[in-house]
Amino acid sequence: MIRPGALDIRDVSKSYGETPALIALSLQIAAGECLAVVGESGSGKTTLLRLLNRLAEPDRGAVWLDGRALRELDPNELRRRIGYVPQDGGLLPHWRVQRNVELVPRLRRLADAEPRAHTALELVGLDPSAFAGRWPHELSGGQRQRVALARALAADPWLLLLDEAFNALDAITRADLQDAFDRARRKTAITTVLVTHDLSEALRLADRIAVLRAGRLEQLGSPAAVVNRPATQYVEMLIQRARSSWPQELRT
Ligand code: ADP
Ligand code: MG
C-alpha cells in the first residue's frame, strides 16, 4: 500500500483584510516526512496549518493531499484524519485522559477506540494504567502535551500538525517531549508539519526545514543545508541566534 500523507502546497496566498499572512507559497512534503516550519511570530506559520486543516481557505492557489484538492474533501472528515497539537494541548478539561484520547476514534466510529487510546498513550511514554483515568488538571504541562500528542496519533491520521507544541515547557521537560515525539513519529511514519519559532528544535527533529519570513518562503532545505548554506542574511541571523543558545563547545 502506498503510504498516505503527501502534501503539495501550490502557489498559496492568504491575507486577513489588508494583512498578507502567506504570499505565493509553494512547497511539497513527502509522505512520512517531518517538515519543520520555522519563523518569528507573525511570519504565517499558524495560517499555513489552518489552511491544511481547512480552518481557513487560500485566496489564491491550492493545497493537494495525495493528489486530491483539499477543497474537494469534506472539512469535518478531513479534520478527523489530521492530528493537531496546539501549544496548550487543547484537552477537554471535563473529560478524563482516556476519553480525550478516544475522541477522534469515537468520532470515526472505530470499534477499537479504547485499545487505540491505550496504544497511543504507550507510544508517547505514558502508562495507561497510571494516566488513562486522570483529569487534565491532574497532569503536569509535559504530561498534558504528551496526552495531546497521543490524542493526535490515536486514529492513524494522514497528517500530524504541531503548532509550537513544545514551546511553553521548561527546557528539560521540552527535551524529553521532543524525544518522545521523535520516537513516536519515526515509529508511525506519519507526515508531520512541525511549526516552531525555535530553529534548534527544527534542526533536532525535522527531515527538512522551511524558513518563513513575513509570509514568504526564505529557504527550504535539510538541517545540514540550512546551517551550512544559509540562503539569505535573515537565515544566517537565525542561525547565529540559535548558536548563541548552544553550549560554548558546539559554537563553531
Ligand atoms: P505565526 O503563527 O507565524 O505567528 P500567523 O499565521 O498567526 O503567524 O499570522 C500571520 C499574519 O497574519 C500576522 O501578521 C497576523 O497578525 C495576521 N493574522 C493572523 N490571524 C489573523 C486574523 N484572524 N485576523 C487578522 N489578522 C490575522
Ligand atoms: Mg502561530
Side-chain angles (χ1 to χ4, degrees):
M1 200 188 90
I2 298 171
R3 186 188 285 165
L7 269 175
D8 186 0
I9 297 159
R10 281 195 219 157
D11 199 24
V12 161
S13 297
K14 173 72 184 173
S15 297
Y16 299 99
E18 296 291 288
T19 311
L22 288 174
I23 302 159
L25 179 71
S26 291
L27 64 98
Q28 282 86 43
I29 307 170
E33 185 178 25
C34 177
L35 180 88
V37 178
V38 178
E40 294 172 298
S41 179
S43 57
K45 307 182 297 298
T46 295
T47 299
L48 176 61
L49 295 187
R50 288 170 59 81
L51 294 175
L52 297 182
N53 62 16
R54 292 196 60 196
L55 289 173
E57 300 293 335
D59 303 327
R60 266 191 45 194
V63 181
W64 301 72
L65 177 64
D66 296 322
R68 288 183 296 173
L70 279 197
R71 65 170 169 267
E72 277 155 27
L73 302 178
D74 172 61
N76 292 320
E77 171 60 15
L78 177 71
R79 279 173 221 137
R80 286 173 198 172
R81 308 309 295 257
I82 292 181
Y84 183 75
V85 187
Q87 182 165 340
D88 65 357
L91 299 180
L92 296 168
H94 54 287
W95 281 2
R96 293 180 193 270
V97 165
Q98 174 74 28
R99 187 78 199 276
N100 265 288
V101 179
E102 278 178 13
L103 174 68
V104 177
R106 278 176 180 238
L107 286 171
R108 286 185 48 213
R109 301 179 196 285
L110 301 175
D112 55 349
E114 189 178 342
R116 271 174 186 273
H118 280 209
T119 304
L121 286 169
E122 281 163 359
L123 195 56
V124 301
L126 292 177
D127 175 3
S129 67
F131 287 94
R134 291 207 197 171
W135 298 100
H137 75 260
E138 296 172 327
L139 302 172
S140 70
Q143 289 163 349
R144 236 189 324 269
Q145 290 309 86
R146 278 178 202 255
V147 173
L149 185 57
R151 182 175 64 178
L153 290 166
D156 292 330
W158 295 331
L159 296 176
L160 187 58
L161 309 178
L162 292 91
D163 196 351
E164 315 247 16
F166 312 130
N167 289 7
L169 304 169
D170 65 84
I172 292 171
T173 307
R174 182 172 174 170
D176 282 348
L177 196 58
Q178 288 172 339
D179 287 344
F181 160 77
D182 199 45
R183 276 194 300 274
R185 84 110 188 143
R186 285 179 195 284
K187 215 164 179 174
T188 57
I190 296 166
T191 309
T192 302
V193 182
L194 176 128
V195 155
T196 178
H197 62 255
D198 178 359
L199 181 62
S200 300
E201 180 169 286
L203 292 170
R204 182 168 179 195
L205 297 176
D207 298 315
R208 284 189 309 155
I209 296 175
V211 179
L212 275 188
R213 181 191 190 191
R216 290 182 200 274
L217 185 62
E218 190 93 355
Q219 183 165 6
L220 176 66
S222 67
V226 169
V227 169
N228 297 323
R229 297 187 299 282
T232 64
Q233 279 194 335
Y234 179 74
V235 178
E236 174 75 47
M237 186 273 290
L238 291 183
I239 293 164
Q240 293 308 334
R241 213 191 272 169
R243 273 213 179 101
S244 68
S245 71
W246 296 349
Q248 193 71 44
E249 62 272 19
L250 296 179
R251 287 185 224 164
T252 51

